[in-house]
């Protein structure tokens, strides 16, 4: 099982003072976190894409390129690229360039995104939410197959044999499909034979088993090899010296961000009781001491019929840099060996 970190480059107020770090300082800290993950032996670091004041990740390929220059082995991916609101040609060029800079360590997780700000920002009609994604994913996949593309669609000017450069270092740029909770998204990933990255940010892991089964069944029916139908999980996670310390560290930032987004969507204000339920053994938060977190990761894999990758969304913790880096170190030094030994 591959183990990694995902970050949305959240810029949150200090839970004690209420003061926000500068954007420059937060970005420097984020690159430092990728360096720590690389040294700790983790497999992958992902940067999300948002176009909101709470996050600094509107240009993930640039952040990943900066990280590539400061790391040597960790794989670098988006988490996710909002392909519906982007030009697939430009995205391909950016990640092919990242692949060259990193010496073949780039990946992309393509998704529709869970926020709507990108659509009006780039002059797109949100009513075309799914059609935009389906068309642009089709083009993006074709870009990986050939240098010169002939293609026509509704939402982007046609391509008539133009070459798309540069080409990546890897023979084929790895593409995962990021999904939330709609059956259609799981079935689409299976039909295309793409590895699946499931965002599980609440509830239980078991709740997603029927959808993962649908993905695997659809993929096999479409003629894809079981080996191609990899499943990854993106979940809230944080490792502390004790279960209590980890929960206390993560809760303030999670509560702040959840309340901010919840006001826009009509959610009730989050409570510590709700948070603790999600961090309990039955919940989907991978939060606790190393033994607790390792056990929950193994449980998540069993609940979903086996997973190939788990990435921790840590950036909603409103913590000083030292505490965040310590959590990453614990994940690499203490959690990963337990999980890998159990899955050998």
């Amino acid at each position: 099982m591959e183990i990694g970190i995902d970050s949305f480059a959240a810029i949150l107020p200090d839970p004690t003072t209420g003061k926000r770090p500068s954007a420059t300082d937060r970005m420097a800290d984020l690159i430092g976190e990728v360096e720590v993950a690389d040294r700790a032996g983790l497999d992958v670091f992902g940067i999300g894409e948002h176009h909101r004041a709470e996050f600094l990740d509107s240009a993930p390929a640039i952040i990943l390129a900066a990280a590539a220059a400061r790391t040597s082995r960790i794989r670098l991916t988006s988490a996710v690229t909002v392909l519906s609101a982007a030009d697939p040609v430009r995205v391909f060029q950016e990640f092919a360039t990242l692949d060259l800079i990193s010496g073949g360590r780039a990946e992309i997780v393509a998704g529709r995104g869970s926020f709507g700000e990108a659509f009006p920002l780039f002059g797109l009609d949100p009513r075309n939410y799914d059609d935009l994604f389906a068309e642009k994913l089709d083009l993006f996949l074709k870009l990986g197959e050939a240098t010169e593309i002939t293609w026509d669609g509704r939402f982007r000017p046609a391509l008539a044999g133009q070459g798309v450069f540069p080409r990546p270092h890897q023979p084929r740029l790895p593409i995962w499909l990021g999904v939330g909770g709609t059956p259609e998204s799981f079935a689409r990933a299976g039909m295309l034979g793409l590895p699946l990255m499931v965002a599980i940010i609440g509830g239980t892991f078991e709740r997603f088993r029927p959808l993962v089964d649908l993905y695997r069944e659809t993929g096999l029916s479409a003629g894809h090899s079981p080996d191609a139908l990899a499943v990854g999980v993106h979940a809230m996670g944080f490792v502390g010296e004790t279960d209590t310390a980890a929960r206390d560290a993560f809760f303030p930032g999670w509560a702040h961000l959840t309340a901010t987004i919840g006001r826009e969507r009509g959610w009730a204000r989050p409570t510590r009781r709700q948070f603790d339920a999600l961090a309990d053994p039955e919940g989907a938060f991978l939060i606790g001491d190393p033994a607790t977190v390792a056990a929950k990761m193994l449980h998540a894999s069993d609940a979903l019929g086996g997973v190939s990758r788990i990435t921790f969304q840590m950036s909603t913790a409103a913590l000083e840099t030292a505490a965040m880096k310590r959590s990453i170190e614990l994940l690499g030094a203490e959690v990963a060996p337990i999980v890998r030994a159990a899955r050998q």
Side-chain angles (χ1 to χ4, degrees):
M1 182 192 298
E2 293 181 326
I3 300 170
I5 307 291
D6 287 334
S7 177
F8 295 167
I11 182 163
L12 301 173
D14 183 283
T16 302
T17 67
K19 182 179 178 181
R20 288 178 182 267
S22 73
T24 301
D25 288 344
R26 177 67 187 101
M27 192 65 74
D29 290 341
L30 174 58
I31 299 301
E33 291 164 17
V34 187
E35 290 183 276
V36 172
D38 187 49
R39 291 195 300 269
L42 296 180
D43 299 293
V44 61
F45 203 107
I47 301 292
E49 180 189 341
H50 300 84
H51 302 270
R52 300 174 56 93
E54 300 90 356
F55 306 111
L56 300 175
D57 60 351
S58 64
I62 294 177
I63 301 173
L64 292 168
R70 302 265 288 271
T71 57
S72 61
R73 54 166 302 281
I74 196 166
R75 297 193 66 78
L76 302 165
T77 185
S78 59
V80 302
T81 293
V82 185
L83 197 57
S84 307
D87 180 349
V89 173
R90 197 66 179 131
V91 172
F92 183 88
Q93 291 174 323
E94 290 170 348
F95 278 84
T97 302
L98 170 64
D99 203 46
L100 296 175
I101 293 170
S102 65
R105 293 185 283 134
E107 298 183 0
I108 183 168
V109 179
R112 297 183 298 181
S114 58
F115 294 91
E117 289 83 5
F119 291 88
L121 184 63
F122 297 111
L124 300 167
D125 188 339
R127 290 175 296 183
N128 295 322
Y129 179 72
D130 191 65
D131 290 343
L132 279 163
F133 181 71
E135 178 177 299
K136 293 185 177 187
L137 178 62
D138 173 68
L139 174 55
F140 194 84
L141 293 173
K142 286 181 169 59
L143 292 169
E145 297 171 357
T147 301
E148 297 178 352
I149 302 296
T150 299
W151 177 91
D152 191 21
R154 290 172 55 199
F155 302 108
R156 188 203 184 279
L159 294 170
Q162 295 98 322
V164 178
F165 304 101
R167 307 307 295 179
H169 174 87
Q170 299 172 89
R172 185 180 291 266
L173 191 65
I175 303 169
W176 296 64
L177 198 64
V179 299
T182 62
E184 294 80 7
S185 294
F186 285 79
R188 172 161 44 208
M191 182 65 65
L192 294 171
L194 293 175
L196 185 77
M197 179 57 66
V198 189
I200 302 179
I201 58 174
T204 65
F205 295 110
E206 287 83 356
R207 182 167 64 93
F208 286 81
R209 179 60 183 267
L211 294 170
V212 171
D213 287 345
L214 172 64
Y215 160 71
R216 291 184 170 123
E217 291 163 5
T218 304
L220 292 173
S221 296
H224 299 294
S225 163
D227 292 340
L229 302 173
V231 175
V233 171
H234 160 102
M236 297 288 181
F238 192 82
V239 189
E241 305 291 348
T242 67
D243 287 352
T244 299
R247 292 187 185 199
D248 289 346
F250 199 85
F251 173 73
W254 174 83
H256 174 86
L257 196 57
T258 303
T260 300
I261 296 169
R263 283 193 296 270
E264 302 171 5
R265 302 185 178 185
W267 299 345
R269 186 172 183 83
T271 67
R272 180 60 188 255
R273 177 175 292 183
Q274 290 173 320
F275 173 82
D276 284 337
L278 289 165
D280 282 345
E282 296 78 18
F285 283 8
L286 304 170
I287 297 175
D289 68 19
T292 294
V293 171
K296 290 199 75 172
M297 292 174 68
L298 294 170
H299 166 72
S301 182
D302 291 341
L304 296 173
V307 301
S308 300
R309 175 181 291 182
I310 294 181
T311 56
F312 284 55
Q313 171 49 264
M314 286 189 179
S315 64
T316 48
L319 292 170
E320 72 278 8
T321 303
M324 184 70 75
K325 290 180 177 178
R326 177 57 179 157
S327 181
I328 295 171
E329 289 171 343
L330 287 170
L331 181 60
E334 300 192 26
V335 177
I338 298 172
V339 173
R340 289 167 179 158
R343 286 294 179 260
Q344 283 183 347

